[in-house]
Each structure stands twice: as C-alpha cells, then as structure tokens.
Amino acid sequence: MYQPHRSLKLIEMFRAKPYQGAQPESAEFVFVGLDANYDADIESSPAFSRVMEYHDDGIAFWSRHKVHHPFLLVGYRGDGQHYHRNFARTGFEPEDACRVSFVELLHIPTVGSSQLVAEDLDFAHLDKLNALIQLGAKRNVFLSDKVVRLMRASGHFHWLPKPIAKQILPQLHKVGETTIYQHLHFANFGAFQARMTLEAAAIARLRTGSPHFSL
C-alpha cells in the first residue's frame, strides 16, 4: 500500500535516524506522522543537499537556517510546504530545536500516494515508539486521527483510545508525565483552517508552559 523511495541516500539516512529533528528520546514535543514522503526526483533537486543536511542534524539545521525544515527555504518548489507552514504557526523557534522531533509510523521514506495498513509497518519500529511513550517522561506527543487509527489497528498500542471528534487538541491518554494529544494533520486547509489556527495556539501555550484548554 506504499511505494518505497528509490533514493538509496534517503533510505540509508532513515536507517541511521528513523526520525527528523531532535532525537525522540530527548524531545519534549514529538509529532507522529504516517510516512515521510518525497518527490520521486528529489535527488536531482537543488534542495536535496539541504534535505540531507537536515536529516543529518535537524537541530543544527534549524539554528543555522532559522526554519525548521528545508521545504521552507527560499527557492524551494515542491510538495510539503503547506504542511510545514502550518506547523510553523505553532510558534516554535530555532532555540526550541532540541525540543521537537518528528517520527513516522512507517520506518522508510516513500514516494507517491500511500494508503498505509497495519501490515505495512515494522513492528520493531512500533515497539520503540510505544516504549518511548510508555516511559512516561516529560513529553507531549501529537497524533492525527489517521495516525491514531493505524496505531490502534497495529495492535501495539492497546492503551490508545479511539479518535475524539470536534475538539481542539483533545487529550487522548497520559502516562506519567507524557501526555498524548490528538491534532488535525498539518496538511489540512480550507474548512479546517479555523480549527487548525486554534490548535496551533493551544500547542503554542504548551510550548511556553501556559494552561491548555479543550472545546
């Protein structure tokens, strides 16, 4: 139900670091996605060197370029900008780089349109994600509704309830000091934009330690 990317460089990078940004174990804010999707010809793009720079050290990249992802650099043309522009509205700054990590349920990069099912996932990778959450460290974990459904279908996250509808950043679960929230996927737009704006503000309050609210 997915097509692995043909770039050996990308695949090797994901094998070495199956995450983006800060190392998940040290991050306070972990955003869990479905898969890391790239243009088929990303290696021939002028942005590829920046993509590899980012994957090599996301914290240094953010500090150096003042944006959290290479898709936001001036001159980049391609998919993914909308997602990362919406994420930027949460208010995280370069000085927060060591606090933010992006982890995908699928452990390898993809190309084209993916329709993931539980059988596509690597169980060892899921076990590591589950262990990260169950550790209960001071951490906020963010899941979209599709991510929640796929995690539940995998059978590796028995503690995870069904998605909650029509709330602003609802809390799904809490383990020790780890809180799991449900959020709208950052690629949403149009009719969802007003809710996404409210959720971005709620995440921004978590970033600064201000009280959270749900509607």
Side-chain angles (χ1 to χ4, degrees), residues 17-190:
K17 295 182 177 181
Y19 60 88
Q20 300 172 63
Q23 186 176 2
E25 291 79 7
S26 64
E28 292 180 57
F29 297 86
V30 177
F31 295 84
V32 182
L34 293 171
D35 62 320
N37 189 267
Y38 296 86
D39 185 83
D41 300 316
I42 186 68
E43 279 202 26
S44 62
S45 167
F48 187 63
S49 62
R50 296 304 189 196
V51 169
M52 296 304 288
E53 177 189 350
Y54 167 70
H55 280 288
D56 182 58
D57 191 335
I59 295 175
F61 179 94
W62 199 343
S63 298
R64 186 179 301 118
H65 296 285
K66 309 307 177 187
V67 292
H68 75 274
H69 197 276
F71 290 175
L72 295 180
L73 291 173
V74 175
Y76 174 77
R77 297 291 183 272
D79 294 336
Q81 284 185 318
H82 185 74
Y83 175 99
H84 290 288
R85 283 174 180 163
N86 277 329
F87 173 80
R89 291 173 177 160
T90 59
F92 287 99
E93 300 288 348
E95 55 265 30
D96 299 310
C98 63
R99 306 171 70 195
V100 180
S101 182
F102 299 92
V103 182
E104 315 297 337
L105 290 184
L106 192 67
H107 60 297
I108 58 175
T110 63
V111 64
S113 179
S114 301
Q115 298 294 328
L116 298 179
V117 295
E119 290 73 21
D120 294 326
L121 306 178
D122 179 81
F123 285 177
H125 180 67
L126 296 183
D127 285 341
K128 289 180 181 178
L129 177 59
N130 190 42
L132 173 73
I133 296 172
Q134 293 295 334
L135 185 63
K138 186 178 180 181
R139 184 173 292 121
N140 297 296
V141 179
F142 302 88
L143 317 172
S144 71
D145 59 348
K146 287 185 178 180
V147 169
V148 171
R149 291 188 179 95
L150 190 54
M151 288 173 70
R152 285 171 52 85
S154 75
H156 285 245
F157 305 89
H158 299 290
W159 48 266
L160 188 58
K162 293 180 179 180
I164 298 174
K166 299 179 180 179
Q167 289 190 24
I168 306 300
L169 208 68
Q171 181 176 314
L172 294 175
H173 193 67
K174 190 172 180 65
V175 181
E177 292 189 83
T178 297
T179 306
I180 297 89
Y181 296 97
Q182 180 185 316
H183 74 107
L184 279 172
H185 193 276
F186 290 116
N188 278 296
F189 59 95

